[in-house]
């Protein structure tokens, strides 16, 4: 039978080196708190439980940042080191038997493929303890893996405790461990490190070797995956690594970028082939973009679905909306939650759409607000048209049926319905329903007073 797996993520450290009032593990990488990456990666392994160890000071903020994910929290009373942090998870692991995967909360770039491989090797070797290591181009700051002359791992030594020769070692601890839960008993025997006054989880290797427990260190995965974040400089580097990783992934899938270093894509976003993305674009959350689209500069798209062959022109903001095939949006369009732009429609310059459907082939090209409306197909909405959907207390609906023409600068005072094929003269304020195929006009007749200017000047 397969052994069960639970994960413990250590996230209770003070993050002093970050020099910030924000808890270290909540600093954002590509717009998402780093701890969320670790949690998500671990969840891809379908563990029985995921325990996040938090500290007193940061508990509330971390719980809030993870409120939508299925994890348990454990409280480390004082930040007494990584061994103490792990032991704080004991209660949350009560009743669990099997393997523990332990990770630091400040290494957000680890991939689930690497973790899977690590778990496989741990189990194949029938180890009680395994540690995931990597070769660091610059090992400074990481714990070094000390091996004997035969290559057997003996211990991990932290930076402060290294001799000058040991500082040359570039095989370092990634902060990822696998252990039989039973080994927690040995973890509780780890002694305080006199240099730092903390209990180092890394000491578990030496202790296990000494007690004859089967322990191993596996060097797998790429260095960039284990990039740990302790400082703002390391945070910036993580941004870079993640951005490059995401861009590479989409380039391999035939998405094109004019300047990838200024393109920001959440790991959760999906993009179709032959889509071209200009710089300074932000694609966020659950956004899905089809193929053959062009996303122009300064666009932000969040939690939205964009069809195929769509143009999103410069400086548009789309949030929680649906844009169908062959449409053009922007420049300077604002699509707010619940906007649905049907096939072939156009929403142009300075147009705001909220909780409304814009039907097939319809156009709202200039300076309009369309809220709580249902617009049919082949409708023309003139410049400056406003749906007056709010009476100060409640929102009301505007219905515009197929083939309607709305002249410029029209106010549609909701609730109101403009029926099929009707025509509204420019500058009208529409307060009553308009029957099909009729003209609605509601403006004062123009008067021209001849010679008025001349008379005024003389006067
Ligand atoms: C740790 C490892 C080091 C490894 C490196 C990999 C130890 C002693 N050292 O060093 O060998 O190369 O990670 O990135 O483990 N934490 C707590 N409670 C505490 C202290 C820390 O929960 O009392 C958490 C932190 O929030 C962090 C993680 O444990 O997420 C690691 O702590 P950190 O101080 O960053 O350890 P490093 O010095 O980076
Ligand atoms: Ca760290």
């Amino acid at each position: 039978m397969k052994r069960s797996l639970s994960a413990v993520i250590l996230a209770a450290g003070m993050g002093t080196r970050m020099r910030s009032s924000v808890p270290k593990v909540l600093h954002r990488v590509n717009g998402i708190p780093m701890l969320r990456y670790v949690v998500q990666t671990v969840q891809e392994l379908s563990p029985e439980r995921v325990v996040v160890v938090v500290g007193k000071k940061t508990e509330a903020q971390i719980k809030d940042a993870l409120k939508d994910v299925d994890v348990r929290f454990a409280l480390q009373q004082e930040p007494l080191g990584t061994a103490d942090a792990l032991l704080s998870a004991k209660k949350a692991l009560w009743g669990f038997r099997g393997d523990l995967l332990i990770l630091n909360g400040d290494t957000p770039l680890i991939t689930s493929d690497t973790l899977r491989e690590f778990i496989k090797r741990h189990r194949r070797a029938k180890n009680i303890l395994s540690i995931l290591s990597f070769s660091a181009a610059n090992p400074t700051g990481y714990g070094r893996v000390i091996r004997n002359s035969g290559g057997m791992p003996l211990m991990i030594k932290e930076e402060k405790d290294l001799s000058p020769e040991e500082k040359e070692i570039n095989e370092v601890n990634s902060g990822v461990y696998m252990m039989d839960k039973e080994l927690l008993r040995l973890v509780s025997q780890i002694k305080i490190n006199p240099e730092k006054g903390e209990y180092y989880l890394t000491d578990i290797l030496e202790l296990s070797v000494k007690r004859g427990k089967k322990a191993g260190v596996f060097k797998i995965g790429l260095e960039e995956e284990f990039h740990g974040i302790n400082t703002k400089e390391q945070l910036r580097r993580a941004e870079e690594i993640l951005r490059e990783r995401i861009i590479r992934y989409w380039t391999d899938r035939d998405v094109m970028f004019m300047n990838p270093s200024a393109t920001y894509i959440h790991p959760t976003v999906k993009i179709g082939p032959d889509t071209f993305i200009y710089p300074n674009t932000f694609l966020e959350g659950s956004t899905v973009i089809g193929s053959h689209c062009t996303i122009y500069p300064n666009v932000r798209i969040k939690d939205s679905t964009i069809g195929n062959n769509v143009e999103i022109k410069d400086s548009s903001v789309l949030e929680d909306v649906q844009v169908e095939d062959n449409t053009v949006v922007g420049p300077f369009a604002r699509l707010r939650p619940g906007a649905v732009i049907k096939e072939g429609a156009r929403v142009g310059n300075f147009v705001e759409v909220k909780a409304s459907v814009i039907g097939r082939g319809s156009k709202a090209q200039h300076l309009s607000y369309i809220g709580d409306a249902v617009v049919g197909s082949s409708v023309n909405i003139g410049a400056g048209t406003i749906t007056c959907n709010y009476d100060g207390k409640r929102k009301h609906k505007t219905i515009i049926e197929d083939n309607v023409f709305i002249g410029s600068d029209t106010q549609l005072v909701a609730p109101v319905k403009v029926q099929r094929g009707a025509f509204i003269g420019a500058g009208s304020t529409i307060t009553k329903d308009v029957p099909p195929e009729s003209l609605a006009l509601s403006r004062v007749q123009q008067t021209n007073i001849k010679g008025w200017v001349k008379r005024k000047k003389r006067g």
Side-chain angles (χ1 to χ4, degrees), residues 17 24 104 106-107 141-142 228-230 234:
R17 288 165 282 178
K24 177 171 79 172
N104 290 347
D106 63 354
T107 45
Y142 289 107
I229 301 172
N230 302 314
Q234 287 167 337

Side-chain angles (χ1 to χ4, degrees), residues 254-265:
D254 299 318
V255 177
M256 292 168 284
F257 301 93
M258 181 181 274
N259 180 4
S261 61
T263 307
Y264 309 88
I265 304 173

Side-chain angles (χ1 to χ4, degrees), residues 436-455:
E437 312 282 336
S438 38
L439 169 70
L441 258 185
S442 78
R443 57 186 186 225
V444 180
Q445 283 264 319
Q446 183 176 333
T447 22
N448 292 336
I449 303 169
K450 277 199 178 143
W452 183 89
V453 175
K454 244 185 201 162
R455 282 203 302 279

Side-chain angles (χ1 to χ4, degrees), residues 19-89:
R19 294 205 302 265
S20 167
S21 58
V22 175
K24 177 171 79 172
V25 293
L26 294 187
H27 276 272
R28 288 165 188 268
V29 179
N30 200 4
I32 300 170
M34 65 173 101
L35 183 56
R36 286 190 73 110
Y37 288 94
V38 183
V39 171
Q40 204 184 326
T41 305
V42 158
Q43 274 172 340
E44 285 169 31
L45 308 169
S46 319
E48 202 179 297
R49 300 180 196 177
V50 177
V51 181
V52 178
V53 181
V54 296
K56 269 187 193 158
K57 281 194 185 144
T58 54
E59 184 182 9
Q61 276 167 284
I62 292 178
K63 282 185 172 169
D64 187 56
L66 295 179
K67 59 172 181 276
D68 57 330
V69 286
D70 181 22
V71 294
R72 301 177 183 211
F73 292 96
L75 181 66
Q76 184 187 19
Q77 293 293 343
E78 300 293 335
L80 291 176
T82 40
D84 181 70
L86 175 59
L87 292 173
S88 314

